Amino acid sequence: MSRLDTPAQTRPETPPTETQPTETHPTETRPTETQPTEAETVANGAPERAAPARRGTAGGTLRLLGSELGLTFRRPRNIAMLAVLAAVPVIIGVVLRVVSDDGAEGGAGSIITAVAGNGMMLTFAALFVLVPLLLPVAVAVVAGDSVAGEAGMGTLRYLLAAPAGRTRLLAVKYANAVVFGLAATALVAASALITGFLLFPVGPITLLSGSTIPLAEGLVRVLVAVGYVAAGMAALAALALLLSTLTEISIGAIAATLVLVVVTQVLGAIPQLAPVEPYLLPSWWLGFDGALRAPMALDDMGQGLLVFAAYAVVCGSAAWARFTTKDITA
Amino acid sequence: MPTQSRRSRAVRWGVPVAAVVVVGAAVGTGPVIAAVQGDPVLPERTAEQLLTEVARTAQQGQVPPMSGTVVETASLGIPGLPEVTGESSSPISLLSGSHEAKVWYGGEDKVRVALPGRMSETNLIVNGEQVWLWDSAANTATRIKVPAGEPERHQPPSPLPTAVTPQDAAKRLLDAADDHAAVSVTANDQVAGRSAYQLVLTPKQTGSLVKEVRLALDGETYVPLRVQVYAKDALEPAFEVGYTSVTFSPPAPENFAFTPPAGAKVEEQNLGERARHDEKTAEELGEHAEELSGIKTVGEGWTTVAVAPFSSGDLAALRDGGDEGRGAEPGAAGLAAGVLDAAKPVSGAWGSGRLIQTKLATALLTDDGWLLAGAVTPDVLYEAAGKK
């Protein structure tokens, strides 16, 4: 993997910005003192060094995010996960096409019938299938690996050696995971849309409420659903990021996140625990079906977004507190 | 470790702690604020004044246009009721757990009730003479024909409260109240963010399982916002239906416009005609018809007992039918199975049979083929079984 390379090669764009003394912990081992790294050399040689401090900060953060995104989307294992996610709608579409060609109508669920009638519904069917587990897996892998992976590889200290500041580094890591979650969701929707348009008739869409809306408005509803699901994944990314700051073994953070995802969904399914359900994160993920009602269930989806925000704030701030106070030894 | 770093560490960890506190406060503020503010202040009204207002709005159809979310919570203690039905939007699932419905009310002849389920929705849409039942899971639109000149809704007698809107529930309640309950006014309450009067109806008859029924009326419009039914010896309501959010403004007209979507199955049902037919035969045949149409009642007021010919074989058939997965709804089959399992054998001077008890209702299946049910103690049922 590229992370095994020297940091200077993998992160040529590490932003050069003024050190923020408040961000670095006094007890932190400073690799710069013991071993002047290539990273620092590159940083010192970078041309933006002379740029005004403020612009340098914002630009530097963006630059760092850019390099982070580049690494994430170039990583073979992430590409493989995205490929699997994109393949699922195609598989569902083809299977439904074959089944409906056999004339095996009825019996199957409502979504299935709806897909056969309108390719656009494949988007919602695909999200319905992927949102409970597969999409969270992809997000957890990226977000859970973000800090722990660097720590495990021993690259975290080099990252911190570049004067980006821990807060900014963490923010960039989180933004990276959020963008990945959004990209994964959008990819699923796009793949489902294309498959649906190719394999099934497409026209005005029948909503769950029984009313019919034009195709263009249907595309807007798809966007709403994608945005909602991406927000849910962003909340999960915050949780995974928190777990990632607690360990130096990235697989531990990833596994812990997924265990939480599965366990909370099991808990949510137990009727006796119904009062707890609204407080669990996964219970709100499937709320994107509010986009398929008439009028759109904005109140329910708004409540879901509030839950996502609460999770993101609590987990994100805990991750920040942990990351900015922990001793980086690796 | 230097003290400064320890302090900085504590300060940093203070941020997530503060975040948890803020989120916790946001979740918990509703009840806390309500408790601090105390009961909302409304002009004094006696129970009688309130009842008149309610009767006036209910009878003259002067309920203002409104829309809102209704949450129904039933913990009736029905034995073996499959809890899994919580996910479905099937009406039978309303008998247990908590359920949400969206209500749009634009007038007497413009009503929409939606039961949202996970990726499904059941809608009842009344628009003038058109009544549609849309079930997205079955992809079926059912047109229910109500003949003109018969606007009043026909409600089957039911020992279980299955009313969907608070208005419905309140109307039934007031019908039942009459002379049989003591009506009083208790502290005002906040319902769906609105100040509301609270009427308390306490049954006078001792044989009733109902301790009291609380009816919350909107302070401005006197629209019933919540109905709570308390069983004897229970602190939490056994049945509750009320708005969690409500707006008093005319809902958008497209809520009441329904045309079956392309590709959906369309069915027709003549509900009104059947009901009228039943009524006519009942009138013509008098006493005799009661046996034919099946149900008669014994007693009055809160201790009314419904008596119907019924054999436990029917129930077993329902259960077995459900097992085969054809005909009967799975929920109904589960219910039948649970009921049969929980029934306990009883006998007395009236004969013998099996007794099913829930918090709010008791049912007796006699071995000679009768079903007696009511919101009453078993003794009242035994008495009715002896009389019949």
Side-chain angles (χ1 to χ4, degrees), chain A residues 165-190:
Chain A
R166 291 192 180 193
T167 303
R168 191 130 41 102
L169 180 62
L170 192 72
V172 164
K173 289 284 187 190
Y174 182 56
N176 174 55
V178 170
V179 170
F180 182 79
L182 178 64
T185 317
L187 182 71
V188 168

Side-chain angles (χ1 to χ4, degrees), chain B residues 91-169:
Chain B
I92 200 163
S93 65
L94 290 178
L95 288 178
S96 81
S98 189
H99 299 274
E100 194 187 275
K102 309 258 177 191
V103 177
W104 292 266
Y105 183 87
E108 190 80 324
D109 57 348
K110 282 193 189 317
V111 184
R112 176 180 163 201
V113 179
L115 297 180
R118 187 52 78 213
M119 285 298 255
S120 70
E121 197 171 304
T122 307
N123 267 277
L124 178 70
I125 297 158
V126 181
N127 188 6
E129 300 196 345
Q130 288 207 342
V131 181
W132 285 99
L133 184 68
W134 161 252
D135 182 357
S136 82
N139 198 24
T140 308
T142 311
R143 180 167 188 178
I144 302 165
K145 283 200 167 167
V146 182
E150 229 180 298
E152 89 254 44
R153 266 168 286 172
H154 199 84
Q155 280 160 346
S158 162
L160 297 168
T162 51
V164 173
T165 66
Q167 283 99 320
D168 271 348

Side-chain angles (χ1 to χ4, degrees), chain A residues 22-23 25-27 109-111 113 124-125 128 167 206-212 271-272 277 279 283 286-289 292-295 297 299-300 310 313-314 317-318 320-322 324-327, chain B residues 1-2 4-5 8-9 11-17 19-20 23 27 69 83-84 87 100 102 104 112 115-123 125 134 136-139 245 255 257-262:
Chain A
T22 48
E23 301 302 337
H25 195 270
T27 56
S110 56
I111 314 168
T113 343
F124 293 95
F128 189 65
T167 303
T206 302
L207 299 173
L208 293 177
S209 306
S211 41
T212 306
Q272 282 76 12
E277 205 207 341
Y279 300 100
S283 335
L286 288 177
F288 71 85
D289 63 357
L292 276 180
R293 303 188 195 280
D299 47 347
D300 293 342
V313 166
V314 169
S317 61
W320 172 79
R322 164 71 186 167
T324 52
T325 55
K326 91 171 183 180
D327 300 336
Chain B
M1 188 179 280
Q4 196 196 349
S5 97
S8 125
R9 183 172 294 230
V11 167
R12 276 160 198 274
W13 276 104
V15 175
V17 170
V20 170
V23 168
V27 172
T69 306
E83 300 259 13
V84 203
E87 285 285 310
E100 194 187 275
K102 309 258 177 191
W104 292 266
R112 176 180 163 201
L115 297 180
R118 187 52 78 213
M119 285 298 255
S120 70
E121 197 171 304
T122 307
N123 267 277
I125 297 158
W134 161 252
S136 82
N139 198 24
S245 74
N255 278 309
F258 182 83
T259 33

